[in-house]
Each structure stands twice: as structure tokens, then as C-alpha cells.
Amino acid sequence: MSNVRAQAAHTLYHVVDRGVSLSAALPRYSRDLNPKDKALMQQICYGVLRYLPSLEFYCQQLLDEPLKGKRRVYQFLLYVGLYQLIHMRVPEHAAVGETVNALKAMRAPGLKGLVNAVLRNFQRQRDELEAAATQIDACKYNHPGWLLKKLKRDYPEHWHTIVAQNQAQAPMWLRVNQRQYTCEQYAHLLSKQGIEYSQFADYQDAIKLKKAVDVQKLPEFFAGASSVQDAAAQQAARLLGAQDGEYVLDACAAPGGKTCHILELADAKVMALDCDAERLDKVRANLQRLHLDAELVCAQAQDTESWWQGQQFDRILLDVPCSATGVIRRHPDIKWLRRHSDIDELAKLQGQILDAIWPLLKPGGTLLYATCSVLSEENQEQMKAFFTRHSDAQHSPLHEQDSIAQPGWQLLPGDTDGFYYAKIIKQ
């Protein structure tokens, strides 16, 4: 029989120590669990990753030495136990008892005494341990030091808010398929189902749910009436502004939310390009559910010779690979999978893709550059460097603060995820 806490420990070990993404590890280790236990395991894994530095600190204080080598996975079981004691509404005796019992499923009953002692000692010393943790920035904010440094540099007035939002649970947004319903009509269907929501004038196709629900409970979801997509990501298709009959490239398209949104708003001919065949299957599945059609191409965006047929595009959406620092609350593993050195490498790759794709745009055409990052190297600095390299690139402001000196529109995590957009016209 699968044990939720044992499976959570294995998942966390593979994410933090082996560099496997949470979205890959969670399904693997939760597949034998019932829906209720799957939800519990997800809650634990997300929580431990949100608070990892402080949990590590408590273990450092409570263990004579960290568990290493073959015993390393049990270190993550301790994090699971501590997270429950601090952040979950599990009775303390149950949190300790169930964590100790997980060792049976992990075939390490000999460690029961150690795990029990660490968790009991934490209960006794909790106040002083938590006070000590707040003196260390990484523990106080539960972010890696390099990322805190960059956020403080880029957002001297807002970094506290960004960090707090990264620790929060992300809201669930829907995108209403305008080919089938207006937002008002779909909102009425939600009301009939007893699903509470709110609407915002700034987000034309979006509805925000008061609390997340299973898509199976959404009205006509499988008939294509709506999709799950954050309101910030929904801005891409609206800002791109594709028109009927135009030839549009969605580069780095998977999993296809933006591709589908473009087609919901216009009868355009769309090529969806991505280098990951497995993720391209998700684009195909989304298109099928929404009764839409696009040309799918599996290739590296910058390797244009391998896939481009010579016809220039009217519009290009370039949602480049990025640090994903704007969506940490949805993917808390990003804080621990990303390294400081990754940012320069990603910025270099983004520049290469921009330069390779730019010749594929018609004169007079529009390129929309997008990231789900909040870091200036990937956003404003990237755009400034691009305008310096390309004299035929004309900056098209998206709002009053969007200027050549500080190009683009940066959304920070809050109501929506953190996203960046910059619009460029080819002269």
C-alpha cells in the first residue's frame, strides 16, 4: 500500500537532489494514490518546496549531522513532518505519528526513533527555532539568496510583495472560448453550477474562480467552452492582435494555451512550433478539445533552416524559454531548480532566438516578445539590446510607462502571474 508521506519524501528528494521538475515527479509517485491522498500529497510537496530553507535550518539545529547518501531521502521525510507541524491543520500527534509510520513503507523502521525525536524536539523548541530562522534572509523569505538579490535590485520598492506572492497559492483563472460564449454567458453557467467567481474589465476573456475546482465540474469544459489559463498569459493573444486570414507563428508554443487563444479570436493560419514532441502532443490535445486547427512543427525555434518554408509571417508570438520567476507560486520547485548562472545562459538563448526569428517577419508585421519572468536581464535589458542590434525594429508601447528607455509591460505576481510583454513592429 502506498503511503502519502513516504511518496511525498521520494518526490521531494527527486526534485531537490536530482533536479526533476515537480510536474514530472508528482504524477510518478502519486499514481497509486486515491484522489484524496493525491491532493494531500500535492499540498505537502508544494508546501515543503515553498518553505525549504527554513525546514532545512530546523533540521540542521535538531540533527547531529544531516542524513546523507542512501539515507538522504529520510531527510526529506523530516521536512514533510516539520511542514505538517508548522503549516497544516493536522493534529500534532497525527503529524508526528503518520510521519514516523511512513518509515515502514520506506523500509527503514530502524529510523523511527530518530524521526520521532527530531519532530518532538521541534515541538519543544519551536519558538526559539522560529525566532532564530527569522534572522537569516533565506529562511525569513524562503527564497535562494541569488534570487532575493536580483529582486531587490530590480524592484527596490516591490520585492517584499513579490516574495510574499511567490509564497501564496495561485488563483485559478479560466479563459472563455469566445467562439462559443461571451464571459457573461459563461459566468451565468458557472452561477448555475454554484461556482463562485469574479470578473475584471482589464481581462476581456477571463474569469477568476473564488476557489479552484476540478475541470470536470466546469460547464461544458470538454466541449471546449473554457480553458484553464492565467489572466496574464491570456494577454498574449490580445496584444498580438492577429486578424482573419493572417499567417501567424506561435514559437515555443507548448502546451498550447496561447495558440488556441489566437485561434479563438481570429480565423488565422497558425503554425505552432515547439522543440519538445511530448509537449507538442498537449498542444494537439488542446486544439482537439477546442475544435481548432493549427499546423504543428517540432523543431528548435532558432534552427530556422530546418523548419521554415520561406513564407514570412504577418505576426509572431515569441514566448521564449525563461527562468519562470513570474510563476513561482504555481511551480515552487523553480526556486531550487534554477541557478544564478542559468539567467545569463537563458538571456543569451533568448537573444539568439530573437535574432533568428526576426527575418521571418514581414515588413509591417508585429512580433510580440513574452516571458513569464520578472528579471530585467530577460525582459527590459533583452529588448534594449535587441533594438540596438536591429535598426528596422520599431518599439510599439503597450502602456504609458512603456518607453525605449524602459521597454515593455511588466506584470508582477498578484491577481495574475508575473509576465512580461514587448511589442515590436518591423519597419
Side-chain angles (χ1 to χ4, degrees), residues 172-177 180-181 186-197 207-229 289-290:
M172 182 172 179
W173 285 90
L174 303 180
R175 184 186 78 241
V176 178
N177 183 354
Q180 294 190 23
Y181 292 100
Y186 196 74
H188 181 64
L189 293 181
L190 289 171
S191 294
K192 282 167 69 175
Q193 294 279 86
I195 298 171
E196 294 183 67
Y197 62 87
I207 294 177
K208 182 182 175 186
L209 300 189
K210 188 172 181 183
K211 60 181 184 182
V213 301
D214 192 302
V215 293
Q216 296 190 14
K217 293 178 181 172
L218 294 173
E220 298 187 43
F221 179 82
F222 295 103
S226 66
S227 299
V228 178
Q229 186 184 37
R289 183 179 63 82
L290 294 159

XYZ file of all heavy atoms in Angstrom, residues 172-177 180-181 186-197 207-229 289-290:
372
model
N -7.085 30.353 -9.586
C -7.464 29.618 -10.805
C -8.251 30.557 -11.719
O -9.299 31.077 -11.346
C -8.308 28.385 -10.455
C -8.686 27.542 -11.669
S -9.490 25.990 -11.132
C -9.845 25.217 -12.721
N -7.704 30.789 -12.896
C -8.345 31.634 -13.911
C -8.843 30.771 -15.064
O -8.194 29.797 -15.446
C -7.334 32.629 -14.472
C -6.981 33.791 -13.599
C -5.974 33.850 -12.674
C -7.595 35.081 -13.596
N -5.927 35.099 -12.089
C -6.912 35.870 -12.644
C -8.662 35.647 -14.308
C -7.260 37.210 -12.387
C -8.996 36.975 -14.049
C -8.309 37.733 -13.101
N -9.955 31.152 -15.619
C -10.487 30.499 -16.828
C -10.415 31.471 -17.999
O -10.580 32.678 -17.826
C -11.941 30.075 -16.626
C -12.250 29.137 -15.458
C -13.738 28.823 -15.430
C -11.424 27.862 -15.539
N -10.183 30.925 -19.175
C -10.311 31.696 -20.425
C -11.553 31.188 -21.146
O -11.657 29.995 -21.446
C -9.082 31.482 -21.311
C -9.096 32.335 -22.585
C -7.944 31.987 -23.510
N -8.194 30.770 -24.270
C -7.454 29.675 -24.214
N -6.422 29.612 -23.394
N -7.751 28.616 -24.955
N -12.494 32.071 -21.376
C -13.744 31.680 -22.033
C -13.521 31.681 -23.546
O -12.985 32.632 -24.110
C -14.884 32.649 -21.650
C -16.172 32.270 -22.380
C -15.102 32.630 -20.140
N -13.914 30.595 -24.183
C -13.793 30.466 -25.642
C -14.837 31.362 -26.308
O -16.029 31.042 -26.329
C -13.989 28.999 -26.042
C -13.794 28.771 -27.533
O -13.623 29.706 -28.311
N -13.805 27.504 -27.934
N -17.660 30.294 -28.550
C -18.838 29.598 -28.015
C -19.670 30.461 -27.074
O -20.893 30.425 -27.114
C -18.385 28.326 -27.271
C -17.761 27.279 -28.191
C -17.548 25.957 -27.477
O -18.197 25.663 -26.482
N -16.638 25.133 -27.991
N -19.013 31.240 -26.207
C -19.735 32.024 -25.194
C -19.044 33.359 -24.961
O -17.814 33.448 -25.067
C -19.762 31.284 -23.841
C -20.597 30.034 -23.830
C -19.987 28.785 -23.961
C -21.983 30.096 -23.687
C -20.752 27.619 -23.951
C -22.744 28.932 -23.667
C -22.135 27.706 -23.806
O -22.878 26.556 -23.795
N -20.930 32.664 -19.980
C -20.270 31.558 -19.281
C -20.343 31.752 -17.765
O -20.505 30.778 -17.009
C -18.813 31.407 -19.737
C -18.235 30.063 -19.333
C -18.616 28.897 -19.993
C -17.339 29.949 -18.270
C -18.115 27.659 -19.615
C -16.837 28.717 -17.883
C -17.232 27.577 -18.556
O -16.744 26.339 -18.179
N -20.254 33.007 -17.330
C -20.389 33.301 -15.901
C -21.754 32.843 -15.380
O -21.872 32.331 -14.257
C -20.194 34.797 -15.656
N -22.781 33.013 -16.217
C -24.133 32.564 -15.848
C -24.148 31.034 -15.661
O -24.774 30.523 -14.717
C -25.131 32.992 -16.922
C -26.547 32.595 -16.628
N -27.253 33.081 -15.545
C -27.386 31.720 -17.273
C -28.459 32.528 -15.537
N -28.567 31.702 -16.571
N -23.453 30.315 -16.550
C -23.371 28.848 -16.427
C -22.659 28.451 -15.123
O -23.057 27.493 -14.458
C -22.624 28.244 -17.619
C -23.288 28.344 -19.001
C -22.409 27.678 -20.054
C -24.669 27.688 -18.996
N -21.598 29.193 -14.780
C -20.883 28.918 -13.524
C -21.806 29.123 -12.328
O -21.821 28.314 -11.391
C -19.657 29.835 -13.402
C -18.479 29.554 -14.340
C -17.443 30.671 -14.238
C -17.807 28.215 -14.040
N -22.598 30.210 -12.368
C -23.536 30.503 -11.271
C -24.537 29.366 -11.089
O -24.843 28.965 -9.961
C -24.280 31.808 -11.545
O -23.381 32.894 -11.519
N -25.024 28.844 -12.211
C -25.995 27.735 -12.149
C -25.378 26.493 -11.511
O -26.067 25.687 -10.891
C -26.513 27.414 -13.554
C -27.568 28.413 -14.038
C -27.848 28.305 -15.530
C -28.564 27.032 -15.901
N -28.922 27.022 -17.361
N -24.040 26.351 -11.645
C -23.327 25.208 -11.051
C -22.920 25.493 -9.600
O -22.306 24.648 -8.954
C -22.051 24.910 -11.859
C -22.287 24.431 -13.282
C -22.611 22.963 -13.332
O -23.767 22.600 -13.176
N -21.613 22.114 -13.533
N -23.194 26.718 -9.145
C -22.806 27.087 -7.775
C -21.332 27.394 -7.621
O -20.787 27.343 -6.521
N -20.660 27.709 -8.738
C -19.229 28.038 -8.702
C -19.077 29.551 -8.595
O -19.539 30.291 -9.453
C -18.507 27.497 -9.966
C -18.600 25.966 -10.014
C -17.046 27.948 -9.987
C -18.111 25.343 -11.311
N -18.417 30.006 -7.524
C -18.258 31.450 -7.306
C -17.061 31.991 -8.086
O -16.038 31.311 -8.221
C -18.074 31.739 -5.808
C -19.317 31.408 -4.981
C -19.119 31.778 -3.518
O -19.006 32.979 -3.227
O -19.075 30.844 -2.692
N -17.165 33.223 -8.565
C -16.157 33.791 -9.459
C -16.156 35.310 -9.356
O -17.036 35.916 -8.738
C -16.469 33.396 -10.908
C -17.816 33.925 -11.380
C -17.929 35.201 -11.941
C -18.980 33.174 -11.197
C -19.171 35.703 -12.321
C -20.217 33.667 -11.576
C -20.303 34.938 -12.141
O -21.517 35.437 -12.509
N -12.150 34.809 -16.389
C -12.960 34.721 -15.175
C -12.080 34.088 -14.090
O -11.430 33.067 -14.331
C -14.222 33.856 -15.399
C -15.165 34.533 -16.408
C -14.952 33.604 -14.079
C -16.405 33.713 -16.754
N -12.062 34.720 -12.913
C -11.259 34.216 -11.801
C -12.176 33.490 -10.822
O -13.171 34.053 -10.365
C -10.556 35.395 -11.105
C -9.648 34.997 -9.957
C -9.075 36.273 -9.333
C -8.252 35.968 -8.106
N -7.823 37.225 -7.443
N -11.851 32.247 -10.522
C -12.671 31.463 -9.596
C -12.295 31.792 -8.153
O -11.122 32.022 -7.839
C -12.487 29.970 -9.848
C -12.860 29.468 -11.249
C -12.834 27.952 -11.290
C -14.217 29.983 -11.700
N -13.309 31.811 -7.290
C -13.053 32.109 -5.879
C -12.174 31.024 -5.268
O -11.290 31.300 -4.476
C -14.373 32.222 -5.114
C -14.202 32.724 -3.687
C -15.519 33.008 -2.997
C -15.283 33.535 -1.588
N -16.572 33.750 -0.876
N -12.412 29.761 -5.650
C -11.504 28.688 -5.261
C -11.414 27.679 -6.403
O -12.353 27.530 -7.192
C -11.926 28.026 -3.948
C -13.267 27.386 -3.913
C -13.502 26.799 -2.509
C -14.819 26.051 -2.473
N -15.090 25.520 -1.129
N -10.286 27.014 -6.462
C -10.024 26.079 -7.562
C -11.024 24.930 -7.552
O -11.439 24.464 -6.485
C -8.605 25.543 -7.457
N -11.430 24.499 -8.745
C -12.316 23.335 -8.874
C -11.727 22.385 -9.912
O -10.941 22.800 -10.764
C -13.757 23.729 -9.293
C -14.390 24.672 -8.294
C -13.784 24.341 -10.687
N -12.108 21.141 -9.829
C -11.723 20.156 -10.841
C -12.373 20.546 -12.163
O -13.539 20.936 -12.193
C -12.204 18.765 -10.405
C -11.585 17.658 -11.242
O -11.757 17.680 -12.479
O -10.948 16.770 -10.669
N -11.601 20.450 -13.273
C -12.153 20.857 -14.581
C -13.401 20.054 -14.943
O -14.245 20.528 -15.720
C -11.105 20.747 -15.718
C -9.997 21.752 -15.519
C -10.563 19.326 -15.849
N -13.541 18.855 -14.364
C -14.730 18.045 -14.665
C -16.011 18.713 -14.168
O -17.102 18.405 -14.652
C -14.575 16.657 -14.032
C -13.411 15.881 -14.636
C -13.380 14.429 -14.204
O -14.339 13.903 -13.665
N -12.263 13.773 -14.457
N -15.862 19.647 -13.233
C -17.037 20.347 -12.706
C -17.341 21.639 -13.472
O -18.356 22.290 -13.217
C -16.821 20.678 -11.222
C -16.764 19.430 -10.343
C -16.504 19.771 -8.882
C -16.437 18.491 -8.038
N -16.005 18.762 -6.661
N -16.470 22.014 -14.406
C -16.685 23.244 -15.172
C -17.704 22.999 -16.285
O -17.612 21.990 -16.994
C -15.372 23.736 -15.785
C -14.292 24.199 -14.801
C -12.998 24.495 -15.540
C -14.766 25.431 -14.024
N -18.661 23.918 -16.471
C -19.686 23.727 -17.506
C -19.067 23.593 -18.899
O -18.256 24.429 -19.299
C -20.528 25.009 -17.420
C -20.194 25.642 -16.127
C -18.832 25.179 -15.735
N -19.415 22.500 -19.569
C -19.039 22.252 -20.972
C -17.532 22.384 -21.240
O -17.124 22.743 -22.346
C -19.839 23.187 -21.888
C -21.350 22.931 -21.788
C -22.150 23.717 -22.810
O -21.707 23.767 -23.977
O -23.189 24.267 -22.441
N -16.730 22.083 -20.249
C -15.278 22.188 -20.415
C -14.794 21.266 -21.542
O -14.003 21.680 -22.400
C -14.568 21.838 -19.106
C -13.060 21.902 -19.197
C -12.402 23.108 -19.081
C -12.311 20.746 -19.406
C -11.007 23.181 -19.174
C -10.927 20.806 -19.503
C -10.276 22.024 -19.388
N -15.282 20.034 -21.546
C -14.791 19.061 -22.535
C -15.390 19.292 -23.924
O -14.947 18.700 -24.901
C -15.027 17.632 -22.032
C -14.228 17.332 -20.801
C -14.817 17.311 -19.544
C -12.853 17.130 -20.871
C -14.072 17.073 -18.397
C -12.095 16.889 -19.728
C -12.709 16.862 -18.491
N -16.376 20.184 -23.991
C -16.904 20.607 -25.295
C -16.168 21.852 -25.800
O -16.495 22.385 -26.859
C -18.398 20.896 -25.189
N -15.173 22.313 -25.002
C -14.343 23.420 -25.458
C -14.799 24.803 -25.039
O -14.322 25.805 -25.574
N -15.725 24.884 -24.077
C -16.275 26.194 -23.695
C -15.277 27.067 -22.951
O -15.360 28.299 -23.010
C -17.530 26.007 -22.851
N -14.327 26.460 -22.246
C -13.352 27.249 -21.486
C -12.055 26.471 -21.347
O -11.999 25.271 -21.604
C -13.912 27.601 -20.098
O -14.064 26.428 -19.313
N -11.016 27.198 -20.930
C -9.702 26.603 -20.664
C -9.163 27.192 -19.375
O -9.548 28.290 -18.977
C -8.726 26.919 -21.809
O -9.184 26.395 -23.035
N -8.254 26.464 -18.734
C -7.584 26.991 -17.542
C -6.322 27.715 -18.018
O -5.447 27.104 -18.633
C -7.222 25.862 -16.553
C -6.480 26.428 -15.355
C -8.472 25.111 -16.113
N -6.274 29.019 -17.773
C -5.104 29.818 -18.171
C -5.086 31.109 -17.364
O -6.109 31.791 -17.259
C -5.152 30.144 -19.674
C -3.900 30.850 -20.190
C -4.009 31.256 -21.664
O -5.072 31.649 -22.117
N -2.908 31.144 -22.386
N -9.764 19.508 -28.273
C -10.848 19.775 -27.323
C -11.605 21.047 -27.680
O -12.817 21.141 -27.490
C -10.276 19.890 -25.895
C -11.346 20.088 -24.818
C -10.743 20.163 -23.431
N -9.858 21.297 -23.249
C -10.274 22.535 -22.966
N -11.568 22.797 -22.843
N -9.405 23.509 -22.818
N -10.887 22.019 -28.217
C -11.493 23.315 -28.543
C -11.986 23.398 -29.992
O -12.440 24.449 -30.434
C -10.481 24.438 -28.270
C -10.131 24.604 -26.786
C -8.806 25.322 -26.613
C -11.239 25.337 -26.049
